[in-house]
Every structure is written in C-alpha cells, then in structure tokens.
Amino acid sequence: NDNDDGDGDKNDNGSKNTDSKNQREKAPKNGVPHGTRPLDKAKIPKGSHNKIKKGVGNGPKDWTGITPDGDVIINDGYGNAVNMGPYQDYL
C-alpha cells in the first residue's frame, strides 16, 4: 500500500514523490500560447529573470516563459500552462 491520497504525492514511508516538481522544470505540454519563449530567450530587460521567477513562485530550475504579449507562463506541475499575467507586474 503506497497510501496514495490522490494529490500526486505518495506518502510512502514519509518520502514525497517529486514527479510534479520535476515536471515544473519542463515546458508545459498543454495550453502554451503560440510564440511563447523560455524566459532566458525572451526579449525582456536584463536582470529581471530572478524577479519574475520569484514573483510567480518559481524556483531557479522551474520553467518560466513569456508570451509575445508579455505574459508570464509557468508549468502547473502537471504539464499545463498557467498564465500569471504581465511580466511587468513582477518587476
């Protein structure tokens, strides 16, 4: 019995399943707006990457993208894109 409570974490002997954490490090598979670029490839002001990642609650390895309109896109941990609004809101 792995005590799976349905939330994506396995509570087996106190160890946590890191599948959703690892998934957040990849580009989302579903719902990414056309033209979205990874944060490090987006045309945004230098020095803003860390502020944006911190603002949306992403860690250093978590995938973060910017749409052509300037919205921040993150991976929800399950392969779905989540629009976090304009990157300027996090500067």
Side-chain angles (χ1 to χ4, degrees), residues 3-62:
N3 297 324
D4 187 354
D5 59 4
D7 68 357
D9 298 335
K10 289 189 177 179
N11 301 319
D12 185 14
N13 299 326
S15 64
K16 185 175 180 181
N17 185 337
T18 59
D19 286 347
S20 65
K21 180 182 181 296
N22 291 339
Q23 182 64 40
R24 288 175 54 114
E25 295 177 6
K26 301 174 187 172
K29 295 177 183 175
N30 305 309
V32 180
H34 183 73
T36 299
R37 300 181 62 123
L39 187 60
D40 61 341
K41 305 261 191 234
K43 295 179 180 177
I44 58 174
K46 291 188 182 242
S48 60
H49 296 141
N50 290 337
K51 289 178 183 177
I52 293 169
K53 281 190 173 241
K54 184 177 179 182
V56 298
N58 269 359
K61 292 184 178 181
D62 293 339

Side-chain angles (χ1 to χ4, degrees), residues 69-88:
D69 293 333
D71 286 347
V72 180
I73 304 295
I74 64 169
N75 187 327
D76 68 356
Y78 300 98
N80 303 303
V82 178
N83 187 322
M84 302 298 290
Y87 79 86
Q88 296 91 338

